[in-house]
Amino acid sequence: MKEAATRAPLTAQNYKSSYKPIWCPGCGDYSVLSSVTKALAMVQVPPEDVVVVSGIGCSSRIPAYTTCYGFHGVHGRALAAATAAANHPCRARRAPPSARRPRIGGGVRS
């Protein structure tokens, strides 16, 4: 019987993309991004099992600065989009790799 492959512990850096944030110097969004990546590393959820949902504004650039799946929704609808992603039967944790491809737009596969 094969041993389960062990994964190296994830760090905050594993969740940060290669894109450099373009927020203004001193902006609090840097702290938010840092806190989110540190929290994800603490719970050890693989980036491919995480969806970051955002709305409109500077803070909404956070999905681009992570290696997780991202959804940039319309104004005032981030919570609805996140709820749909969390409750959809094809969500990332249960979907086969072919169904986890990032997509442009808000369509989801059932």
Side-chain angles (χ1 to χ4, degrees), residues 16-27:
K16 292 182 181 175
S17 74
S18 60
Y19 292 111
K20 184 176 170 76
I22 57 171
W23 296 309
C24 298
C27 179

Side-chain angles (χ1 to χ4, degrees), residues 70-71 101-107:
F71 180 88
R101 292 188 310 269
R103 291 176 180 75
I104 297 173

